[in-house]
Amino acid sequence: MAKDENPNKQRASLVLLTAPVRQSTDERFSQLAFSVIDNLKAGESILITKAISWLLRSMIKYFRAEVTAYLEENQESLPKIALRETKRKLETGRK
């Protein structure tokens, strides 16, 4: 769905991963999430941007170190709002 041209399907590819990464320590979910984010982070749709932020914040519970490293490596290419909200979640534990 991430490769579909329909922005709703692209957003769904991000949103559908939020529960698995929040509820499971299986690294395959985090790897898939980072891959989907990489494919969609250049998009300009606010729906995609917010979904990226939501997915990154959902990953913090079990994949904090990986999210922190990902933010550092991709801070120039990630949507600014996703970067800001995820950093805030890492620092405060809140959205």
Side-chain angles (χ1 to χ4, degrees):
M1 288 192 307
K3 295 181 180 182
D4 196 292
E5 291 189 26
N6 183 336
N8 292 314
K9 288 183 180 179
Q10 292 174 347
R11 179 180 178 274
S13 70
L14 294 160
V15 173
L16 289 173
L17 283 170
T18 58
V21 298
R22 187 177 36 227
Q23 298 171 357
S24 174
T25 59
D26 190 337
E27 291 184 11
R28 292 176 294 180
F29 289 127
S30 68
Q31 293 169 354
L32 179 59
F34 288 131
S35 175
V36 172
I37 291 170
D38 282 339
N39 286 334
L40 297 176
K41 66 184 176 184
E44 297 186 17
S45 168
I46 189 67
L47 294 175
I48 302 297
T49 301
K50 295 297 282 183
I52 289 171
S53 175
W54 188 13
L55 182 54
L56 286 169
R57 286 182 283 127
S58 295
M59 295 173 68
I60 291 174
K61 181 176 179 181
Y62 292 118
F63 306 102
R64 177 179 283 273
E66 291 88 342
V67 170
T68 302
Y70 184 81
L71 291 180
E72 289 177 19
E73 293 171 13
N74 295 281
Q75 63 184 344
E76 296 299 320
S77 60
L78 280 170
K80 299 303 179 211
I81 192 166
L83 186 64
R84 183 175 60 247
E85 287 182 355
T86 306
K87 283 184 175 181
R88 184 178 311 133
K89 174 82 173 187
L90 284 166
E91 293 169 3
T92 66
R94 295 192 214 149
K95 179 181 173 189

